[in-house]
Amino acid sequence: MTTDEDDEEGLTYAEAGVDIEESEAATAALIGAVGEFEGDYAGLVDIGDRYLALAADGVGTKLLVAEAIDDYSTIGIDCMAMNVNDLVAQGVEPVAFVDYLAVEEPDDETAEAIGEGLRRGAEQAGVALIGGETAVMPDVIKGLDIAGTCAGLAPKDALFPGEAEPGDAVVGWPSSGIHSNGLTLAREAVTRAHEYTDPFPPNPDRSIAEELLEPTRIYTDVLATLRTHETHAAAHVTGGGWTNLARMGAHRYEITDPFDAQPVFQFVQAEGSVSDEEMHRTFNVGTGFVATMPGDDAESVVEDEEDAQIIGNVAETDDDAGVVAIRGLTLS
């Protein structure tokens, strides 16, 4: 990706309102206060011969795009995806989901639309949607917020070790679009000169809002394949963009052949004059899920998975933190 020159100053995620470093520091403080969690993407509870895993997440400011056009039909899919994908990244099979909807005031049509999205997401993920809670809190909530918790199970020998090894290949799967991360930056960029209802320039048959609301891909379908190969680690490319790869260990991730960025990323970058580095620190930029494993296993996975491809490799690094090198960029 390249940044179009513009008279306006290039946007960053922090300037748009979200500072990743501050967010990570706050998360670390919370974890430090309540105790250690076993697992990088979800909490793990030892229940004998297996682990019970729990993940919790929401949709973020993607809700504001839905609110702008009064279309909440896909938001439930996003909520489901952001939770189940984190479980898959640890080698856990998601089994059940509960939601929490907080609203300023009750609205049956909105609740029904969100519920329908949750149902569709549950079908895609293969999990049981076992209920939830709706809270009406006009003194706390402006509009609404949706979050959920997903439970999963994994035999102890089925969990991914969680640590990539030097020499591993990096296998990637494409994203479906912008997913549910970086929307604060994306919204700030595209609304500089556009309305959400404007046609999306690369595809005028869709509005800008429809493109931003494209649901997050659910990756539960890749779990069986990863479990039958020597998968060392996996990562769901969410908040923090490509820096998520460092969660697989303090190595150098040489990404030589990532998936092409969908037009929505090019549009956001051009409209906000966002640098390539900031794009990759904020968004998935076309690749939504990755896993590391020996080269022979990677080739086998690519044969089994129609839309998977080898996108790079893992090398040693002298740094005490992971480094991601992608198309001339170095992120750490």
Side-chain angles (χ1 to χ4, degrees), residues 65-141:
V65 183
E67 180 184 38
I69 64 166
D70 194 25
D71 182 359
Y72 294 91
S73 61
T74 59
I75 288 299
I77 300 175
D78 287 296
C79 191
M80 184 69 63
M82 297 304 289
N83 284 278
V84 300
N85 289 344
D86 278 354
L87 294 184
V88 173
Q90 285 192 214
V92 174
E93 181 180 2
V95 295
F97 185 91
V98 293
D99 64 273
Y100 176 74
L101 176 64
V103 299
E104 182 178 7
E105 57 184 34
D107 185 315
D108 290 349
E109 290 186 4
T110 298
E112 183 178 358
I114 292 173
E116 175 62 18
L118 287 168
R119 184 192 63 78
R120 290 162 57 198
E123 288 180 353
Q124 291 179 34
V127 305
L129 186 59
I130 59 175
E133 175 71 16
T134 298
V136 180
M137 301 187 294
D139 293 333
V140 177
I141 295 293

Side-chain angles (χ1 to χ4, degrees), residues 65 133 154 195 222 238 317:
V65 183
E133 175 71 16
E195 301 291 335
V222 311
T238 58
T317 178

Side-chain angles (χ1 to χ4, degrees), residues 165-228:
E165 297 182 7
D168 277 353
V170 180
V171 179
W173 282 261
S175 66
S176 56
I178 208 162
H179 286 185
S180 291
N181 299 101
L183 268 296
T184 298
L185 175 56
R187 291 186 300 104
E188 179 72 17
V190 303
T191 56
R192 280 182 163 187
H194 299 278
E195 301 291 335
Y196 288 124
T197 52
D198 289 347
F200 179 57
N203 181 6
D205 290 336
R206 286 168 64 91
S207 69
I208 291 172
E210 287 176 316
E211 197 67 24
L212 293 176
L213 288 172
E214 183 68 29
T216 304
R217 176 173 170 177
I218 291 173
Y219 293 98
T220 49
D221 59 325
V222 311
L223 181 59
T225 299
L226 292 178
R227 279 183 165 181
T228 57

Side-chain angles (χ1 to χ4, degrees), residues 257-280:
D257 192 25
F259 289 93
D260 291 336
Q262 291 95 339
V264 66
F265 295 109
Q266 298 157 359
F267 179 63
V268 167
Q269 181 171 30
E271 294 301 310
S273 300
V274 184
S275 70
D276 284 349
E277 181 177 5
E278 190 69 14
M279 290 294 296
H280 286 83

